[in-house]
Amino acid sequence: MPLEKIALISDVHGNLTALDAVLDDIESRGVDQIINLGDFVGKGPRGSAAVDRCDKVCDVNIRGNWDDHLPVWTDESAAEMTWWRDELRPDQRDWLRTLPLSHDLLVSGRHIRLFHASATSPHVRVHAKHTAEEFAGMFVNTAMTGEGPVPSMVGYGDIHDAFVEVERGRTLFNVGSVGNPLDEPVPSYAILEGAVDEPGRAPFGLQFVRVPYDVEAEIAAAASLGMPALEPYAVELRTAVYRGFQEV
């Protein structure tokens, strides 16, 4: 029975340098398909280029919270928000807001569900340190996910913090962030390996990958483009300290 590799990436956030490094690594591993769990834009300087790249190379693209709200920010919004919005073409804004919110897979007998943040909404966050109720809520069918087999395995992005948790036959994992990791300052993604569309039991694997890249080149690109909020972005990339926790 042939096994396939599926790369799961998320939270590129306009960091083209990191995205290219991750995509190069994915190509070197003979991956069969790429699924993007959202947040292509915002925070970083090249959201437009990231959208075009992901539209071209990813087999499935899912809408994140930034993809949902950034295109509709008004001119009265903060300077960085309008800058990131205006860096996108009108067709890209429309593309982002029409992406699906979840995607289901059957791999080696496992029903797997993928979305950006939670089964409720791309705007509802579930942290790595979560309650039992939050954990259970990731595995239910909702208006957002639609009907279908209840998943035994759920993968998501949003929190920029890679982890895996297994409890009573259910696996919850976060793929981390390509462009804005906040657990350690090295981009991460995940690889599923198994028999796709196979309802019976078969070998299966979940792997996390970290890919170093040229952080200073990305910061220099943001500076050369005149991106607002450059300093907190640079600190996040260098240290993985979220801007809300940085010392002023």
Side-chain angles (χ1 to χ4, degrees):
M1 182 180 300
L3 302 184
E4 296 183 30
K5 293 180 180 180
I6 303 170
L8 307 178
I9 67 173
S10 191
D11 295 273
V12 173
H13 282 296
N15 185 340
L16 191 64
T17 313
L19 175 61
D20 283 343
V22 166
L23 291 176
D24 286 347
D25 187 81
I26 288 172
E27 184 177 10
S28 74
R29 294 171 187 266
V31 165
D32 296 282
Q33 61 173 299
I34 304 173
I35 299 177
N36 190 321
L37 306 189
D39 273 10
F40 304 76
V41 297
K43 292 196 169 189
R46 292 180 285 185
S48 178
V51 166
D52 283 345
R53 190 98 162 88
C54 292
D55 184 26
K56 180 179 179 181
V57 304
C58 297
D59 298 272
V60 177
N61 288 292
I62 294 171
R63 190 189 338 159
N65 55 303
W66 277 83
D67 313 318
D68 193 52
H69 70 67
L70 183 64
V72 297
W73 279 87
T74 67
D75 292 341
E76 290 72 38
S77 304
E80 61 269 28
M81 300 302 292
T82 56
W83 192 93
W84 291 320
R85 180 201 66 189
D86 292 344
E87 200 257 336
L88 299 171
R89 301 189 309 268
D91 65 291
Q92 293 177 318
R93 298 178 208 168
D94 293 339
W95 182 82
L96 288 168
R97 298 209 77 223
T98 56
L99 292 175
L101 292 173
S102 67
H103 182 72
D104 285 8
L105 297 167
L106 177 62
V107 183
S108 296
R110 297 166 185 257
H111 291 283
I112 303 171
R113 179 164 289 158
L114 306 170
F115 44 64
H116 181 68
S118 73
T120 304
S121 163
H123 301 282
V124 174
R125 180 157 296 153
V126 175
H127 291 284
K129 295 181 179 179
H130 47 257
T131 66
E133 291 75 19
E134 287 174 323
F135 180 90
M138 299 292 267
F139 295 87
V140 300
N141 289 335
T142 66
M144 189 195 86
T145 66
E147 297 301 319
V150 174
S152 60
M153 190 169 193
V154 168
Y156 73 115
D158 184 55
I159 59 174
H160 304 203
D161 186 359
F163 75 89
V164 60
E165 178 180 353
V166 182
E167 181 181 342
R168 297 183 179 180
R170 296 183 297 185
T171 301
L172 180 66
F173 68 96
N174 191 285
V175 305
S177 172
V178 169
N180 189 230
L182 296 175
D183 45 7
E184 64 170 270
V186 183
S188 68
Y189 74 97
I191 297 176
L192 301 175
E193 184 171 16
V196 176
D197 295 328
E198 170 56 53
R201 304 181 100 183
F204 176 83
L206 169 63
Q207 177 184 11
F208 291 89
V209 182
R210 294 278 180 175
V211 184
Y213 75 109
D214 191 339
V215 174
E216 297 307 318
E218 175 61 22
I219 294 170
S224 69
L225 291 168
M227 188 186 82
L230 175 63
E231 186 54 32
Y233 179 64
V235 173
E236 282 183 345
L237 295 194
R238 289 172 177 144
T239 68
V241 176
Y242 173 62
R243 64 193 62 198
F245 300 146
Q246 295 171 14
E247 294 183 5
V248 179

